[in-house]
Amino acid sequence: MNRDDAKKRVLESTDLVRLVSEHVVLKPRGREFIGVCPFHDDKNPSMYVVPHKQFYHCFSCGASGDAFSFVMGYHKMTFPEALKYLADRAGIELPRNTREQSSDEPTERQRIAAANQFAVEFFKRTLADERLGGPARRYITQRGISDEMVETFALGAAPDAWDALAQYVNRKQMDRQAFEWAGLIAPRKTGDGHFDKMRHRLMFPIFDAIGRPVAFGGRVLPEASTREEKSDAKYLNSPETALFNKSATLFGLHAAHKPISDSHTAVIVEGYTDVIAAHQAGARNVVATLGTALTAEHAAVLRRYADQVVLIFDADEAGQKAADRALQIFFNQPIDVKIAVLPDGCDPADLLARPDGLEQWQTAIVQAADAMTFQFRRVRQQFDAADTLAAKQRISEQYLRTLIDLGLDRIETARRGLVLARVAEMLRLDSASIDRLIRQLSGRRRATGPVHDEVEPDFDAPPSRPTAAQQAQRHLVGCLLTEPTLFHETVADGRELNESIGHDDFDHPPTAALYGAIYEWLIEHDQLTTADLRNLLHDENQVRYALQLQIEVSRLTDGSTAGLHELLTASATALAGRRAEQEYQQQKMLLRETKQEQPNNPGTTGTPPGTDSADDTETQRLALAIAHAQANPSARRVPRVSG
Ligand SMILES: [Zn+2]
């Protein structure tokens, strides 16, 4: 099996709808599926997956492609990585040479990933070591972490030594630079050599959604002989690298993404051991941020899998702070952020260790209040506690101002209505009065300096409209990609399409390049699979463009053969008409030039070039008419040359 066969087999064995729905929630719409696009900040689902063509297209950002483009874009993989990933997924064994065909130097990301992968194994071996792993194993037992969870989360131990890993890297002549980038080792401040950054810690590898280790968290263990003041922190995380963006990464996602998409709910806890305790108890849709609050970047990752995010807290006060913060970030985002406070001030691990822990946990999640309700409850308490009318009014105005600052004017109508109804109920006013009050307040707000009035670029605006001729070129190529036999279809001028249309009919650069790339193939073959296309086009952008054109055509023709013929004929006719027009104009220019070159032609005297003079001879007129008729056989009327 060579590389092309491998690509083909992998594509044939991959169901794109299933692949995409492992990463994005897809809903059927007609013959297609639609979901929130993971390649741009999608407010409404705008990505279509077309099952019968096995490709996807986003009508907002234009991202499109097949299974390869999807995983390359989504997981930021190179093509060989994507091939390996999809082959593994489909259970296809790739021949060695295919796997190693990438002759390119590994990127910084790949080198860091390799160093991290090695370190995962190194730390696991240390944990298993009878002597070196003792303290870490005792801690694991003490926390009640099961063997299965040690395995699932690939827990390990960093030895209680200054340079155990550094020496190993040196001895085996491994990629030391990569280990430095990964923040696993660092040059000694004095003298030669390197030292380990992670020492005497229980190691929690942090994986991305597909299980690549991108970083580590290390928890201190007791009785260390290698303690250093600075790194005394209870938890030490890897530094940010080309592979690791802390504010977009979630601990446990590799084990949780499937349960999250199944339940449409992501539950966020604060610590690594809380995640492990939850998974161990059977609540597997649980992840943790890495010691930070939930960011918009986290939400963008989670939105691919979930409709709602539940933040877990052990105290009401922490929940209040989180609610305020969550509202600031997510108020006008299409994701529900809810806050759950666990009973009795329990932390997740404590609660889940109880016999009825899982049940209580699930109840807390079901009863979680959305961040706005959570905030509203507090306002409501203050409102009810206020004893004068003036105080009550001040509290409600203050609350409305907060909502206006958050962007109340910009949230979707349904949600806005809900908010207003709630405030109206509290103030015992009708919604219309509240609406008026808000307009009053926001008017005043604008006058005193707006908070949220910056002009934002409209990302949803479509790119500049292509001209009619460009459209015709795109549609024609799109038709050919969809149904290659159309290349031999007879068109209006009585010739086969491939003779009727020439390379110079394509002046839209990307379309022209694409037509050039598939021309030879179309002459000789009557089918063109996506795998063939990948072999013909070596540029990923070009593949994407080709697939985009096919989707455009599929949508215009609704996949019907009759529609395809109609679109092809219309595009071919438009291009032929344009060519005829160009040739006609050219002839006219030529004739005029000839005329001007004749010095003794009295008719040209004093006539500026570029205007039609009245004394065109009948012969010239006839020549033009013939040229036009030849170029455009469907034209019935002989054009008049001079007005
Ligand atoms: Zn998109």
Side-chain angles (χ1 to χ4, degrees):
M1 183 164 64
N2 65 27
R3 184 179 160 99
D4 291 347
D5 292 340
K7 279 197 271 185
K8 206 168 165 180
R9 274 197 58 195
V10 165
L11 272 185
E12 282 166 0
S13 321
T14 301
D15 174 9
L16 185 66
V17 174
R18 185 176 295 172
L19 173 74
V20 173
S21 57
E22 281 165 19
H23 302 82
V24 173
V25 178
L26 285 181
K27 292 184 177 123
R29 174 170 298 182
R31 307 197 316 153
E32 290 144 12
F33 289 82
I34 183 165
V36 170
C37 172
F39 302 113
H40 80 280
D41 183 19
D42 203 1
K43 296 275 194 291
N44 298 300
S46 40
M47 190 177 75
Y48 284 76
V49 181
V50 187
H52 67 287
K53 297 298 288 183
Q54 288 291 302
F55 54 62
Y56 64 91
H57 179 69
C58 170
F59 280 88
S60 244
C61 72
S64 63
D66 58 7
F68 285 117
S69 345
F70 186 83
V71 292
M72 284 163 76
Y74 190 96
H75 296 300
K76 310 236 172 348
M77 287 174 164
T78 61
F79 183 78
E81 287 172 327
L83 181 62
K84 168 92 173 60
Y85 172 73
L86 289 176
D88 285 352
R89 198 177 155 282
I92 293 171
E93 178 90 23
L94 293 178
R96 275 197 81 74
N97 61 343
T98 312
R99 253 181 275 151
E100 285 160 8
Q101 201 140 22
S102 162
S103 56
D104 303 336
E105 285 284 296
T107 63
E108 183 174 331
R109 292 167 56 89
Q110 287 168 322
R111 287 169 66 188
I112 294 172
N116 282 341
Q117 186 59 58
F118 175 82
V120 169
E121 297 306 322
F122 179 84
F123 294 139
K124 272 164 85 171
R125 277 203 305 277
T126 308
L127 180 67
D129 184 275
E130 202 177 330
R131 190 178 56 83
L132 296 173
R137 281 202 308 277
R138 276 194 291 282
Y139 180 82
I140 286 173
T141 312
Q142 192 194 320
R143 297 296 301 228
I145 298 172
S146 69
D147 290 349
E148 190 200 342
M149 289 300 120
V150 170
E151 185 66 28
T152 302
F153 290 91
L155 300 189
D160 187 13
W162 282 99
D163 56 1
L165 178 62
Q167 279 206 30
Y168 198 93
V169 168
N170 229 5
R171 217 166 39 237
K172 298 277 172 186
Q173 297 185 322
M174 301 177 75
D175 184 357
R176 197 169 59 200
Q177 175 65 67
F179 284 85
E180 271 187 55
W181 279 332
L184 288 162
I185 63 173
R188 286 185 194 278
K189 286 170 198 84
T190 52
D192 288 344
H194 287 67
F195 70 99
D196 293 359
K197 299 280 277 188
M198 298 286 188
R199 298 181 305 277
H200 198 50
R201 286 173 184 271
L202 178 63
M203 298 304 295
F204 299 85
I206 298 161
F207 297 98
D208 64 11
I210 54 165
R212 284 181 300 192
V214 295
F216 292 90
R219 191 201 185 282
V220 283
L221 292 167
E223 317 135 29
S225 68
T226 51
R227 190 57 40 85
E228 196 184 30
E229 287 296 314
K230 249 188 300 172
S231 59
D232 211 1
K234 191 166 150 200
Y235 278 95
L236 186 62
N237 278 333
S238 301
E240 297 213 326
T241 65
L243 192 62
F244 175 46
N245 171 7
K246 192 175 172 185
S247 34
T249 305
L250 293 152
F251 176 78
L253 192 60
H254 69 292
H257 72 88
K258 187 77 176 52
I260 289 175
S261 36
D262 290 347
S263 63
H264 297 219
T265 302
V267 178
I268 318 280
V269 294
E270 288 180 294
Y272 303 151
T273 48
D274 289 336
V275 173
I276 295 173
H279 281 246
Q280 187 167 330
R284 293 182 185 252
N285 57 346
V286 179
V287 293
T289 57
L290 308 180
T292 65
L294 192 71
T295 65
E297 285 171 281
H298 288 132
V301 172
L302 290 171
R303 238 173 52 199
R304 297 164 177 174
Y305 309 102
D307 302 329
Q308 63 166 352
V309 171
V310 180
L311 305 173
I312 301 279
F313 293 95
D314 51 16
D316 202 64
E317 198 188 332
Q320 286 294 356
K321 278 198 193 124
D324 291 348
R325 202 192 128 79
L327 278 177
Q328 274 173 15
I329 300 176
F330 305 109
F331 191 69
N332 45 26
Q333 297 272 332
I335 189 164
D336 279 339
V337 180
K338 295 188 172 177
I339 314 282
V341 176
L342 297 181
D344 315 328
C346 273
D347 71 26
D350 290 344
L351 181 76
L352 287 159
R354 293 182 185 175
D356 61 344
L358 185 59
E359 204 178 308
Q360 291 203 38
W361 171 268
Q362 278 157 351
T363 307
I365 286 167
V366 171
Q367 291 176 347
D370 72 77
M372 198 183 296
T373 307
F374 211 87
Q375 193 185 52
F376 182 75
R377 274 189 206 148
R378 183 184 50 197
V379 176
R380 184 72 204 238
Q381 278 166 7
Q382 292 168 347
F383 184 86
D384 290 342
D387 44 12
T388 67
L389 202 61
K392 282 184 194 293
Q393 196 178 343
R394 201 176 54 244
I395 290 165
S396 45
E397 274 197 22
Q398 185 56 47
Y399 180 55
L400 287 176
R401 279 211 190 88
T402 309
L403 294 179
I404 292 162
D405 284 351
L406 285 171
L408 184 66
D409 293 344
R410 295 186 299 169
I411 61 172
E412 46 168 333
T413 325
R415 210 150 152 225
R416 184 183 147 93
L418 205 72
V419 176
L420 295 192
R422 210 181 272 167
V423 180
E425 194 267 332
M426 176 174 84
L427 302 181
R428 296 188 186 84
L429 286 170
D430 58 300
S431 291
S433 317
I434 297 294
D435 212 16
R436 217 173 306 125
L437 186 56
I438 285 177
R439 240 172 283 141
Q440 239 173 43
L441 286 171
S442 43
R444 229 182 287 159
R445 207 96 188 127
R446 260 189 270 283
T448 56
V451 182
H452 273 280
D453 268 11
E454 321 94 86
V455 178
E456 287 187 13
D458 183 4
F459 291 109
D460 291 337
S464 59
R465 283 188 89 76
T467 65
Q470 286 175 356
Q471 286 281 31
Q473 292 166 41
R474 289 162 66 103
H475 292 159
L476 189 84
V477 173
C479 287
L480 292 174
L481 289 166
T482 308
E483 185 42 68
T485 54
L486 291 177
F487 208 37
H488 303 288
E489 184 92 344
T490 307
V491 288
D493 65 2
R495 291 183 289 178
E496 279 191 12
L497 181 70
N498 60 80
E499 290 162 357
S500 171
I501 293 291
H503 287 275
D504 46 4
D505 281 319
F506 295 89
D507 60 356
H508 180 232
T511 318
L514 188 56
Y515 181 75
I518 61 171
Y519 178 80
E520 289 293 331
W521 177 276
L522 291 178
I523 291 289
E524 286 165 19
H525 300 80
D526 54 9
Q527 64 161 323
L528 177 61
T529 65
T530 309
D532 297 331
L533 199 59
R534 277 204 170 274
N535 293 333
L536 289 172
L537 312 174
H538 296 289
D539 173 1
E540 185 57 29
N541 285 331
Q542 214 174 23
V543 173
R544 223 173 288 145
Y545 184 59
L547 296 173
Q548 188 187 334
L549 294 191
Q550 291 184 68
I551 300 222
E552 263 182 44
V553 165
S554 163
R555 298 204 63 72
L556 284 169
T557 61
D558 202 24
S560 82
T561 316
L564 204 58
H565 279 253
E566 226 168 85
L567 185 63
L568 180 87
T569 310
S571 320
T573 308
L575 288 183
R578 189 180 67 133
R579 186 175 58 241
E581 182 61 28
Q582 282 168 348
E583 282 169 10
Y584 167 64
Q585 294 295 347
Q586 225 166 10
Q587 284 286 347
K588 209 160 81 170
M589 285 292 284
L590 273 174
L591 283 171
R592 194 173 298 128
E593 277 164 22
T594 322
K595 210 158 53 173
Q596 279 167 354
E597 276 161 18
Q598 294 167 346
N600 50 0
N601 183 339
T604 56
T605 318
T607 307
T611 52
D612 285 319
S613 62
D615 51 357
D616 277 333
T617 64
E618 274 309 303
T619 334
Q620 283 169 341
R621 197 164 172 167
L622 196 60
L624 282 171
I626 292 167
H628 186 84
Q630 274 173 347
N632 188 4
S634 62
R636 300 210 182 100
R637 198 165 50 87
V638 173
R640 284 182 58 80
V641 172
S642 52

